[in-house]
Amino acid sequence: MSRPGLATELLSGQFLKHATERRTLPDPMLADSISPGATKPEDEHRRDICTVGRWIHSRAFVASTDGNISVRLDSRRVLTSPTAISKGMMLPDDLVITDLRGKKLVGRRAASTELAMHLLIYNRRPDVNAVCHAHPPVATAHAAAGIALNKALLSELVISLGCIPVAPYGTPGTQELSDALEPIVQHYDAILLANHGVVTCGADLLTAFFRMETVEHFAQVSLVTELLGKQVLLSGRDVEKLLAARARYGTTTASTVTPGCPVTSDNIATAAGEPDRISITRKELEALIEEAVRKDRALR
Ligand SMILES: [Zn+2]
């Protein structure tokens, strides 16, 4: 209270105004939002990757130094998170620039060990400018159980991602993982990696990150419906209408190319791995039992 003029500031409300201004000064390292779009200065891409790193860490989509994030800078360069650092603690200068074959061009640190997976996606998908890989727990549990997130449970998921398949297992950080992904990266914007985690991609980093959030959210909803013991799937007709509406939402990837994907109330009985279930009322069951007993008596 010894600063000259402080009392006057307090009385006039100026102190509060100044204090608030000091707390909200724009600090690029503390930014909690990123703008959509893939055409930006390199500095902004660096800050965006650090921001998404903090988001996936704070949402517990990764533990320790897991996960990796990258952005396509132009036709020959990729900006990627480095290996062996918490994605919640990255600074813009920690990031690494490589070419599309993985050769380091700029950076003090080593590039992500999963860079080959990112490069596979950039090389196969000219529409993709950002890739996000993480281990969100419920979606990763589905990947570990070999359970695809492919049921037509939520209308918005049918529109946005269609199906989220499980890619066969491949050792992380090796060619095996890229080989397992290669046949399906063309068709899906989000893929579960068996016994590992999730990879998502998009036209920009915000989209790739949102898809990671959507996968984990859907995995949670799907799990809870399993725990509730009941899943009411959309019908094939419902799904057709949603797929027809995709263009209005700007969804372009045909992520429903696999027959029976997504699984609807019409095809659940024949979907791979699903038991052939029917449902009948108690009255119908009683009638069936009575009929069987009557026939049995008639035979004696
Ligand atoms: Zn991983």
Side-chain angles (χ1 to χ4, degrees):
M1 298 294 276
S2 61
R3 183 155 65 82
L6 182 58
T8 314
E9 278 189 357
L10 281 169
L11 287 171
S12 68
Q14 285 297 304
F15 178 79
L16 184 62
K17 184 165 176 278
H18 289 158
T20 309
E21 278 172 359
R22 275 195 284 276
R23 275 200 297 273
T24 55
L25 279 176
D27 180 345
M29 281 314 302
L30 296 175
D32 201 34
S33 69
I34 66 176
S35 58
T39 309
K40 308 178 176 189
E42 185 187 312
D43 281 359
E44 195 174 339
H45 281 305
R46 285 178 181 268
R47 288 196 297 271
D48 287 355
I49 287 179
C50 294
T51 300
V52 168
R54 288 197 300 278
W55 287 348
I56 64 170
H57 184 262
S58 64
R59 286 160 174 76
F61 290 179
V62 288
S64 182
T65 60
D66 298 344
N68 28 78
I69 306 153
S70 71
V71 160
R72 192 202 301 264
L73 289 177
D74 52 40
S75 60
R76 56 179 194 85
R77 296 181 308 149
V78 166
L79 178 66
T80 173
S81 55
T83 188
I85 186 172
S86 165
K87 300 306 163 294
M89 299 178 185
M90 291 186 298
L91 296 172
D93 282 350
D94 290 325
L95 307 187
V96 178
I97 297 177
T98 75
D99 65 16
L100 282 168
R101 290 183 174 177
K103 181 170 170 256
K104 186 161 95 172
L105 303 175
V106 178
R108 292 175 287 110
R109 291 174 173 269
S112 162
T113 52
E114 297 294 5
L115 181 62
M117 173 172 70
H118 295 234
L119 298 178
L120 167 76
I121 296 171
Y122 291 126
N123 284 316
R124 293 286 185 277
R125 295 277 303 269
D127 59 311
V128 164
N129 292 309
V131 176
C132 194
H133 165 57
H135 306 160
V138 181
T140 300
H142 282 75
I147 298 173
L149 292 165
N150 63 355
K151 289 182 182 164
L153 280 166
L154 297 180
S155 52
E156 290 190 350
L157 197 284
V158 173
I159 291 174
S160 62
L161 292 174
C163 284
I164 306 160
V166 186
Y169 179 71
T171 309
T174 72
Q175 185 61 36
E176 264 181 29
L177 184 57
S178 297
D179 291 346
L181 278 171
E182 186 163 21
I184 55 175
V185 291
Q186 301 275 16
H187 308 300
Y188 299 95
D189 294 325
I191 299 171
L192 302 182
L193 310 172
N195 305 94
H196 182 170
V198 181
V199 65
T200 59
C201 60
D204 61 16
L205 184 55
L206 196 56
T207 305
F209 168 74
F210 280 161
R211 285 175 174 158
M212 184 64 72
E213 263 194 332
T214 299
V215 170
E216 178 63 2
H217 180 259
F218 181 56
Q220 291 178 17
V221 170
S222 186
L223 173 64
V224 173
T225 59
E226 290 276 359
L227 295 173
L228 291 170
K230 189 172 180 187
Q231 292 184 321
V232 180
L233 303 190
L234 297 170
S235 69
R237 180 79 190 107
D238 292 330
V239 167
E240 268 176 37
K241 285 194 272 183
L242 291 169
L243 296 181
R246 277 181 151 193
R248 288 207 305 273
Y249 294 88
T251 308
T252 51
T253 311
S255 41
T256 54
V257 287
T258 313
C261 167
V263 177
T264 66
S265 58
D266 306 336
N267 63 14
I268 188 163
T270 52
E274 286 295 332
D276 194 359
R277 286 200 188 116
I278 59 163
S279 65
I280 55 173
T281 64
R282 172 184 283 270
K283 224 172 183 178
E284 289 165 340
L285 178 62
E286 286 170 356
L288 282 172
I289 294 170
E290 276 172 24
E291 172 80 6
V293 171
R294 199 165 44 244
K295 279 182 182 169
D296 182 58
R297 282 191 186 137
L299 290 171
R300 293 181 187 204

